[in-house]
Amino acid sequence: MPEFDLVIRHADVATESDRFSTDIGILDGKITALESGLSEGEQEIDAAGRLIMPGGVDSHCHVEQISSNGVWTADDWFTATRSAACGGTTTIIPFACQHRGQSLRDVVKDYHDLAGPKAVIDYAFHLIVSDPTDQVLGQELPALIKGGYTSFKIYLTYDALMLTDRQFLDVLAVARRDGAMVMVHAENNDMIKWMADRLLQAGLRAPKFHAVARPMLVEREATHRSIALAELVDVPILIVHVSGGEAIEQIRWAQERGLNVYGETCPQYLFLTEDDLDKPGLEGAKHMCSPPPRDKANQEIVWKALEDGLFEVFSSDHAPYRFDDPEGKFKAGKDAHFKQIANGVPGLEVRLPLLFSEGVGKGRISLEQFVALTATNAARLYGLFPRKGTIAVGSDADITIWDPDKQVKISQSILHDAMDYTPYDGKEVTGWPITTISRGNVVWDKEEFLGGPGKGEFLPCDTPPALSAERRPVTAFDPVTGVLS
Ligand code: DUC
Ligand code: ZN
Ligand code: ZN
């Protein structure tokens, strides 16, 4: 009887802090041995000449979620997780999104019903809180946090989802009291609406005006405001999908003050620009997301911040809406104006290869940084480490084997999501995940998907470690009890 279900031989392993050669022994979905010369496994993989890394953890993606404009994402839980697996990702953390009037508990149950039978890889949930009633704040959130939903996203824009500053403070206070990470979509709603109304009145309807109505300062203002509100409550926050220099300046300012403010960026801010929204006809819609991609100078600033360690995580923000589909981007019709076009871009499968090729391959970030940004930091930030995000004895056997020299021209035809386009069409990359292993099972190998629906497991998240850090209130007012301390 072999000692292991699977042995990976001659593994050149990269983690967030280390590089070593070893065999990897896997039993019952866990890594149980890391040393050379392991005894035989029931299955064996020879990884000589390849690179072995922890499977990616994509901590920002939208799966089977309905937008505030009433459009469903193109991917369901099967196609999204298949696509993730084929791109080297083994854990995703999408959202369970509360719309006003809904009980969060019911929302979470509904998302579980969708995910359970279809997920190919493991998953956790962030909660989108859009209706922080007394019931939600006082009962549902505390119970859900105990149940392993230890992160929330809140919006400062979109009429249907956004919170007022006061509601945001209420959510922050619950996060502080019960131990949860708050993620913020930081854009100023009134500034956007004020500009969008004027643009539309002037007959300016094309996709490129999406970017005109959401300039960098809209993001800068909301980023700064979020930092100030979190500072008042003295609780960590993470600013999601940071697009350029002015928001980065705010995060750097906060970090230099010693505040626990984290940042996330995404492929669209490294590889797309606002010029992509100005492509002929309706093509620009393929590149519409919020915040929008900025100019080349901002793209370079985002790269620099990634290199310097300002960002904690690099996520896809996969928000897929098909281009040529009456239920997709143009559900409101082909003559829809920019506010009516569904807003988001896909990216689950290309997130890792894009950053590997342009970041590691071009010498901008180290391999260790790559692993940290794409797997380890997200696992740690959201309370999944060390089960996920690393290669260590006792961790889940979530492993990606890379061919660092494989040259690939990205096109929709090689991807495994349910989309009809990729915004990265034609981009040539070097390095691709050729095998993906999810809890010991090979789910992607030799350009073939081998996984199955329902094999993914729900991952309850622990208290994010940042919430366990010592507090240092900035005022005499205790933000949880409301009394002077
Ligand atoms: N925010 C997201 O996080 N994703 C897609 C669109 C948006 O506004
Ligand atoms: Zn957002
Ligand atoms: Zn998103």
Side-chain angles (χ1 to χ4, degrees), residues 60-62 65 95 128 153 155 157-158 161 185 187 210 214 240-241 264 268-269 288-291 317-319 321 343-345:
H60 185 156
C61 49
H62 302 265
Q65 187 184 323
F95 299 90
I128 291 176
K153 182 177 179 193
Y155 285 81
T157 187
Y158 301 126
L161 293 173
H185 179 126
E187 290 183 296
H210 172 76
R214 310 177 98 98
V240 293
H241 45 50
E264 170 200 84
Q268 47 270 39
Y269 308 116
M288 277 177 66
C289 56
S290 296
D317 194 5
H318 183 79
Y321 303 102
N343 182 8
V345 292

Side-chain angles (χ1 to χ4, degrees), residues 55-73:
V57 177
D58 195 335
S59 58
H60 185 156
C61 49
H62 302 265
V63 179
E64 241 171 310
Q65 187 184 323
I66 191 164
S67 77
S68 43
N69 283 358
V71 189
W72 283 94
T73 53

Side-chain angles (χ1 to χ4, degrees), residues 76 96 109 151 176 243 335 369 380 383 394 400-401 415 450 460:
D76 69 7
K109 183 183 175 311
S151 46
R176 177 189 159 121
S243 72
D335 60 347
Q369 276 177 298
R380 194 176 277 126
T400 304
I401 304 178
L415 302 179
L450 302 168

Side-chain angles (χ1 to χ4, degrees), residues 62-64 72-84 318-325 327-329 346-349 412-422:
H62 302 265
V63 179
E64 241 171 310
W72 283 94
T73 53
D75 281 304
D76 69 7
W77 277 83
F78 177 66
T79 59
T81 52
R82 177 181 64 186
S83 178
H318 183 79
Y321 303 102
R322 287 164 63 91
F323 185 71
D324 206 1
D325 185 325
E327 294 301 316
K329 285 253 170 205
L348 264 176
E349 195 163 345
Q412 185 56 32
S413 63
I414 65 162
L415 302 179
H416 299 81
D417 57 18
M419 286 295 287
D420 60 355
Y421 81 91
T422 165

Side-chain angles (χ1 to χ4, degrees), residues 5-301:
D5 297 329
L6 172 63
V7 173
I8 304 174
R9 304 253 172 231
H10 312 117
D12 175 5
V13 174
T15 67
E16 54 144 1
S17 56
D18 230 348
R19 182 91 183 256
F20 52 95
S21 298
T22 184
D23 294 344
I24 304 175
I26 295 165
L27 184 67
D28 294 334
K30 298 267 182 205
I31 297 171
T32 54
L34 283 177
E35 56 189 80
S36 295
L38 290 179
S39 65
E40 206 182 320
E42 187 142 333
Q43 193 186 348
E44 299 247 340
I45 295 176
D46 185 352
R50 309 302 192 200
L51 203 47
I52 310 289
M53 292 190 259
V57 177
D58 195 335
S59 58
H60 185 156
C61 49
H62 302 265
V63 179
E64 241 171 310
Q65 187 184 323
I66 191 164
S67 77
S68 43
N69 283 358
V71 189
W72 283 94
T73 53
D75 281 304
D76 69 7
W77 277 83
F78 177 66
T79 59
T81 52
R82 177 181 64 186
S83 178
C86 298
T89 288
T90 50
T91 300
I92 61 169
I93 317 182
F95 299 90
C97 179
Q98 180 198 35
H99 291 276
R100 298 230 172 91
Q102 291 181 315
S103 136
L104 251 180
R105 246 194 269 264
D106 292 349
V107 168
V108 167
K109 183 183 175 311
D110 291 347
Y111 275 86
H112 272 290
D113 290 346
L114 294 171
K118 287 184 269 185
V120 169
I121 54 169
D122 293 351
Y123 55 95
F125 285 108
H126 308 293
L127 309 174
I128 291 176
V129 182
S130 68
D131 199 3
T133 59
D134 288 348
Q135 163 87 3
V136 165
L137 294 168
Q139 290 160 39
E140 296 195 346
L141 280 176
L144 286 163
I145 291 171
K146 281 204 183 78
Y149 308 86
T150 60
S151 46
F152 326 139
K153 182 177 179 193
I154 70 99
Y155 285 81
L156 295 180
T157 187
Y158 301 126
D159 286 342
L161 293 173
M162 66 172 286
L163 302 190
T164 63
D165 289 354
R166 186 184 174 117
Q167 289 174 317
F168 185 7
L169 287 166
D170 284 339
V171 171
L172 288 167
V174 171
R176 177 189 159 121
R177 187 192 62 204
D178 294 336
M181 178 62 70
V182 178
M183 311 157 75
V184 188
H185 179 126
E187 290 183 296
N188 179 305
N189 196 49
D190 278 328
M191 289 165 93
I192 295 169
K193 284 174 62 181
W194 187 80
M195 281 182 282
D197 287 349
R198 277 160 180 72
L199 288 164
L200 291 174
Q201 275 160 18
L204 304 172
R205 305 163 55 90
K208 71 173 174 183
F209 295 106
H210 172 76
V212 175
R214 310 177 98 98
M216 191 74 237
L217 85 102
V218 160
E219 192 181 338
R220 182 237 293 167
E221 186 283 326
T223 302
H224 185 84
R225 182 159 37 104
S226 303
I227 291 167
L229 296 174
E231 185 177 3
L232 177 65
V233 181
D234 181 34
V235 68
I237 52 167
L238 177 129
I239 310 291
V240 293
H241 45 50
V242 174
S243 72
E246 293 185 33
I248 287 171
E249 280 168 13
Q250 300 306 312
I251 296 171
R252 182 166 288 123
W253 174 85
Q255 291 178 347
E256 284 172 2
R257 280 166 69 93
L259 300 174
N260 240 333
V261 174
Y262 299 96
E264 170 200 84
T265 194
C266 315
Q268 47 270 39
Y269 308 116
L270 297 181
F271 296 95
L272 306 178
T273 68
E274 61 198 4
D275 291 345
D276 290 310
L277 275 75
D278 193 17
K279 293 206 162 136
L282 296 173
E283 282 287 296
K286 292 182 175 176
H287 306 89
M288 277 177 66
C289 56
S290 296
R294 308 292 179 188
D295 60 12
K296 275 270 166 209
N298 274 291
Q299 213 182 55
E300 190 50 33
I301 294 169

Side-chain angles (χ1 to χ4, degrees), residues 56-61 89 91 238-242 262-272 299 302-303 305-307 310-318 347-360 365 369-379 381-382 402 424:
V57 177
D58 195 335
S59 58
H60 185 156
C61 49
T89 288
T91 300
L238 177 129
I239 310 291
V240 293
H241 45 50
V242 174
Y262 299 96
E264 170 200 84
T265 194
C266 315
Q268 47 270 39
Y269 308 116
L270 297 181
F271 296 95
L272 306 178
Q299 213 182 55
V302 178
W303 268 113
L306 203 70
E307 290 162 37
L310 176 127
F311 288 114
E312 198 69 10
V313 286
F314 181 74
S315 312
S316 67
D317 194 5
H318 183 79
L348 264 176
E349 195 163 345
V350 293
R351 174 182 74 114
L352 297 174
L354 283 171
L355 188 64
F356 184 86
S357 183
E358 291 296 313
V360 181
I365 56 171
Q369 276 177 298
F370 174 80
V371 175
L373 284 163
T374 58
T376 319
N377 289 356
L381 196 68
Y382 297 116
W402 285 74
Y424 309 102

